[in-house]
């Protein structure tokens, strides 16, 4: 198949920052793209050859969009799977597949999948609504504390709560949910696995994530993770097992816990480029977006090793600011060594809204970590 | 000045591959852009916020375009300088300035500039047309062999000839030209210098260029150049002197000869991102296009050092092929270590047309060089 400077068209469901960064790679290779997103102001509105505005959860919209492309992918899990299934049955290549997405979209189904495939994960129960959850608590089948997760729609800390008492149950949504055992862990890790239709598989190095204590969003992603080789190898092995079980095509970002006893547990996965892989744009031989394109087009996978150490800092809206965005002190961080900001192109900031990220690279990871803290202290995402 | 996710607009004259690669950086920082190019099929037609079709040499077109932007730059020297001068006089920031461009656009003026500024360059004479040139030959004031260069319009080996006999004079154009002494050199080198309006200056490492013997186009660009430190320091010093003399804003690519006696002579300069800096996208801490944006927006300049060794191979159309392009064996080079192709997006190939480039990076430059040869032997730019 000849993808380069031809009429071959890659369709992308979702036109947010992940799609936008994917478009750097399609532009680099002159691969024709068509993007569907509900917002006319989506970051992908330019740089795609064709942009359509429409509802990603609407069967007809997704189906009609998919009929006009040669390969269809997505940058967000919240898309109409029935439409993907129909498109697949009619010969459109959908990568990752509708089946992969079905196993991931619903967190209850995803946990069940791990159980069936003997993939280590924290013990859990699925409840079809809040009524069932309450009943389990009342009957003392479910004990505090536990981790509550909405089965659908949760991301960036939304749809996840640590429930320590009956009071914490009150604000939870009515939706189907899972309750997981709260397991003390010493590290939150992630491994990105790439797989193409020919079955070639490559894993990226293990990264370490530090979370913002209040917003429950990732604050630093550090590559490579500062863990010993045994733990890193174990994490990569578990991630490979997950990838093997899903037989996905494209990227699979596998989020992991390293427990106090050095067990590796799968937290959850995302079948797409992931926040934990943004460091790769500056640090890796093959960045995750290029790798995604290679994988879904069945091209050979690229080298996943790093040229230099990389740390990623999310740029989120400051707590008390809502309105037109201003990146205060951005010129100061640009003067720091190895610092690259990425601005997603959202005009309005809101508290904790993901507005961009900054990568800090350095041959010495410890130096990068010091500079990352400077970056964090210096730049502010405020409104004018 | 707040450039990021605002209505600030950067205007770019020219929408070819250099502009296209510059747009990766404006997208990364969400800087609004407007591009002017004569072709509706220009590689910049997407990814710019606004694209206009028009003649870059036409005063009114360039002037009217420039009036609508906040900072104006160009990715090609062939633009109407009078329009730039008028825009400058009316307060539009034009970087590099019209004055810099005036000193560079005409090769006779450029050589004269070096002479006046005691910058080492090969001896030369300027002739206002072919009649004068012929006369100098007949009067034995000018001796074979010499290097003939058209004063305007030459690039990529066009407008340059080595004249060894009266026969070689016949096909030369009627235009104003220079005749340079043919000096035997052992290396052709280049240094990119970045300078911002605040006067901050940074030089990139010296690169070494190998030319295709027939097409007179660069075949390999190797960073760092495989020359001794003394020669490298001398080359950087000469490039800095050139930059200081021009007081340019933005990038200045300085092409140099290293003579048999280890003299460094300036060949010519380009006031913009340059083919000899493409390796920087994958190999440098700050690629040349990001550096160009930093420089013209008076932001702090980024680190010009390399993460890894880099080699660039131009992808030019195969000799006997004209028509819709096909990149034969591109999947084979994608399987090689550290290989990144860039496809400029031209639908039609022609013999020796610049269609893209490939970067090969490796911690070991000698390994990169071996892989670069493999790449060169493997990929073919043909028509379907």
């Amino acid at each position: 198949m000849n993808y380069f400077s031809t009429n071959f068209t890659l369709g992308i469901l979702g036109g947010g920052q992940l799609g936008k960064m994917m478009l750097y790679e399609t532009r680099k290779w002159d691969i024709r793209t068509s993007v569907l997103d509900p917002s006319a102001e989506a970051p992908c509105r330019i740089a795609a050859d064709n942009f359509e505005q429409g509802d990603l959860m609407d069967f007809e919209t997704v189906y009609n969009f998919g009929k006009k492309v040669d390969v269809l992918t997505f940058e967000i899990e919240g898309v109409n799977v029935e439409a993907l299934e129909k498109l697949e049955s009619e010969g459109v290549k959908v990568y990752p597949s509708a089946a992969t997405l079905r196993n991931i979209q619903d967190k209850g189904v995803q946990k069940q999948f791990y159980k069936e495939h003997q993939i280590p994960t924290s013990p859990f129960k699925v409840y079809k609504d809040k009524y069932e959850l309450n009943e389990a608590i009342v009957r003392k089948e479910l004990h505090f504390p536990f981790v509550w997760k909405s089965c659908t729609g949760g991301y960036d800390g939304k749809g996840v709560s640590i429930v320590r008492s009956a009071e914490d149950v009150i604000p939870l949504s009515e939706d189907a949910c899972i309750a997981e055992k709260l397991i003390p862990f010493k590290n939150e890790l992630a491994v990105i696995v790439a797989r193409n239709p020919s079955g070639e598989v490559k894993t990226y190095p293990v990264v370490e994530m530090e979370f913002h204590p209040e917003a429950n969003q990732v604050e630093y992603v550090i590559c490579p993770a500062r863990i010993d080789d045994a733990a890193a190898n174990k994490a990569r092995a578990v991630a490979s097992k997950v990838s093997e079980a899903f037989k996905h095509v494209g990227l699979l970002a596998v989020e992991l816990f390293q427990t106090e006893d050095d067990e590796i547990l799968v937290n959850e996965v995302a079948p797409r480029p992931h926040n934990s892989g943004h460091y790769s744009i500056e640090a890796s031989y093959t960045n995750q977006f290029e790798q995604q394109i290679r994988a879904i087009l069945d091209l050979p996978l690229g080298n996943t090793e790093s040229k230099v150490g990389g740390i990623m800092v999310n740029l989120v809206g400051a707590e008390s600011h809502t309105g037109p965005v201003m990146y205060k002190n951005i010129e100061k961080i640009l003067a720091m060594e190895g610092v690259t900001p990425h601005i997603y192109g959202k005009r309005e900031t809101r508290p904790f809204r993901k507005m961009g990220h900054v990568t800090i690279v350095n041959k010495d990871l410890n130096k990068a970590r010091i500079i990352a803290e400077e970056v964090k202290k210096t730049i502010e995402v405020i409104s004018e």
Side-chain angles (χ1 to χ4, degrees), chain A residues 12-16 19-20 35-38 42 44 56 73-76 79:
Chain A
I12 306 172
L13 297 170
K20 182 188 169 189
V35 173
L36 179 69
D37 193 89
C44 285
L56 298 170
T73 189
F74 48 84
E75 56 111 53
I76 187 168
V79 300

Side-chain angles (χ1 to χ4, degrees), chain A residues 245-260:
Chain A
F246 278 112
K247 294 215 185 307
H248 65 102
V249 166
L251 300 188
L252 193 74
V254 185
E255 294 184 37
L256 304 158
F257 295 123
Q258 180 187 16
T259 68
E260 300 286 356

Side-chain angles (χ1 to χ4, degrees), chain A residues 225-238:
Chain A
R226 294 159 304 177
I227 55 175
D228 62 35
D229 284 355
N233 291 338
K234 201 167 170 180
R236 272 173 113 146
V238 169

Side-chain angles (χ1 to χ4, degrees), chain A residues 140-210:
Chain A
K140 311 257 183 212
E141 289 162 13
L142 178 62
H143 304 278
F144 301 120
F146 63 86
V147 181
W148 172 92
K149 288 180 179 172
S150 165
C151 280
T152 51
Y155 68 96
D156 282 353
K158 284 164 207 144
V160 179
S161 273
I162 295 177
V163 177
R164 298 186 190 279
S165 67
E167 227 166 45
D168 292 345
V169 180
I170 300 164
L172 300 177
S173 81
E174 298 293 324
D175 302 337
C177 64
I178 55 173
E180 281 183 0
K181 192 174 165 188
L182 180 65
I183 290 176
F185 56 85
K186 50 182 186 193
N187 276 307
E188 191 147 347
L189 309 171
V191 175
I192 291 176
V193 188
R195 190 172 176 281
N196 68 18
S198 302
E200 195 192 358
V201 176
K202 285 197 179 172
T203 59
Y204 277 85
V206 184
V207 300
E208 173 191 343
M209 301 194 277
E210 278 183 45

